Amino acid sequence: EAGVAQSPRYKIIEKRQSVAFWCNPISGHATLYWYQQILGQGPKLLIQFQNNGVVDDSQLPKDRFSAERLKGVDSTLKIQPAKLEDSAVYLCASSLDNRRGQGQFFGPGTRLTVL
Amino acid sequence: AQSVSQHNHHVILSEAASLELGCNYSYGGTVNLFWYVQYPGQHLQLLLKYFSGDPLVKGIKGFEAEFIKSKFSFNLRKPSVQWSDTAEYFCAVGSYNTDKLIFGTGTRLQVFP
């Protein structure tokens, strides 16, 4: 089966610019997650969707980050405006649903560098 | 606060050596426990998981982990590592009834032939 797809793989921008990342989860997976992984740290959950509704966005810096999952499939994560500390790998993951036992499947990530 | 600690940040071993990576967690309530692996240039993959039952869990590629509830630990082990095990290993904990995960900071394993 096809895995989680993400694009772009790499992005370099200057601070105060905007950037958007795209994620296509595994077909049929209802739950979608966005994580931020700063160098030397583990992934940190930013937002969790169940179909097209937000389940948890408690760690999303809402003053600059936004995410949507229209039609309950693809998702976009946007940063506007970017700061230097946003440099990280942004990971998308999906699972069949949000009950335990399903496991999360991760995409390759988008490496963002903010100059 | 919920957290996961991985004590070994960087481990260097020779092939055939035994491996044990530590993982301790702080989490209220019943937990699910996971080990993920990230090989160089690849994405995160599930290595093994514990939900209930036998506290000794076997995963792919000869890895196993033991859940010790009294110690809040879920250490990863492999009796004999191979060069191809060179990767970064992440321990993660989730609540009993959701797939939301909290990750540790990771352990980088280098295996030399």
Side-chain angles (χ1 to χ4, degrees):
Chain A
E1 81 187 343
V4 176
Q6 290 187 248
S7 68
R9 292 295 308 276
Y10 304 92
K11 189 74 177 178
I12 300 174
I13 62 172
E14 295 187 348
K15 61 182 179 183
R16 291 189 289 273
Q17 286 187 320
S18 302
V19 65
F21 313 126
W22 173 82
C23 172
N24 179 239
I26 293 173
S27 177
H29 279 196
T31 310
L32 185 147
Y33 312 79
W34 282 103
Y35 289 87
Q36 179 192 58
Q37 186 176 15
I38 293 172
L39 187 64
Q41 300 181 19
K44 183 185 85 171
L45 180 68
L46 293 175
I47 189 167
Q48 177 184 350
F49 291 94
Q50 177 72 11
N51 296 308
N52 61 348
V54 175
V55 174
D56 185 346
D57 63 356
S58 57
Q59 301 226 67
L60 187 74
K62 298 180 187 64
D63 57 333
R64 298 184 300 106
F65 286 65
S66 64
E68 60 183 9
R69 191 184 183 198
L70 300 176
K71 301 180 182 178
V73 182
D74 294 5
S75 177
T76 56
L77 176 70
K78 296 179 182 178
I79 307 175
Q80 180 179 12
K83 293 185 176 181
L84 296 177
E85 59 261 36
D86 298 331
S87 293
V89 176
Y90 291 85
L91 298 168
C92 179
S94 69
S95 65
L96 198 57
D97 60 38
N98 68 348
R99 293 173 298 166
R100 75 179 187 95
Q102 305 302 321
Q104 294 184 25
F105 296 84
F106 284 81
T110 296
R111 183 177 297 276
L112 173 67
T113 302
V114 182
L115 303 175
Chain B
Q2 301 159 354
S3 65
V4 178
S5 297
Q6 292 184 243
H7 319 295
N8 318 102
H9 298 293
H10 190 188
V11 174
I12 301 173
L13 295 172
S14 299
E15 275 192 319
S18 64
L19 170 72
E20 181 159 3
L21 301 182
C23 173
N24 286 88
Y25 66 92
S26 172
Y27 203 101
T30 306
V31 297
N32 303 321
L33 296 158
F34 305 80
W35 276 97
Y36 280 83
V37 59
Q38 188 167 25
Y39 297 104
Q42 297 186 26
H43 54 273
L44 276 166
Q45 303 170 42
L46 183 64
L47 198 56
L48 50 78
K49 58 187 178 184
Y50 170 81
F51 293 139
S52 63
D54 189 344
L56 185 61
V57 179
K58 295 193 184 297
I60 60 172
K61 303 187 180 185
F63 286 90
E64 64 179 30
E66 185 175 11
F67 171 50
I68 303 179
K69 189 175 181 180
S70 60
K71 294 184 178 180
F72 300 93
S73 70
F74 190 56
N75 292 354
L76 181 70
R77 299 194 293 249
K78 186 172 184 178
S80 176
V81 295
Q82 300 173 315
W83 175 79
S84 57
D85 294 325
T86 294
E88 188 144 22
Y89 293 81
F90 293 92
C91 181
V93 62
S95 66
Y96 181 75
N97 59 353
T98 76
D99 263 346
K100 178 180 174 180
L101 298 177
I102 296 172
F103 283 84
T105 53
T107 296
R108 184 180 170 209
L109 172 66
Q110 280 185 293
V111 180
F112 289 96

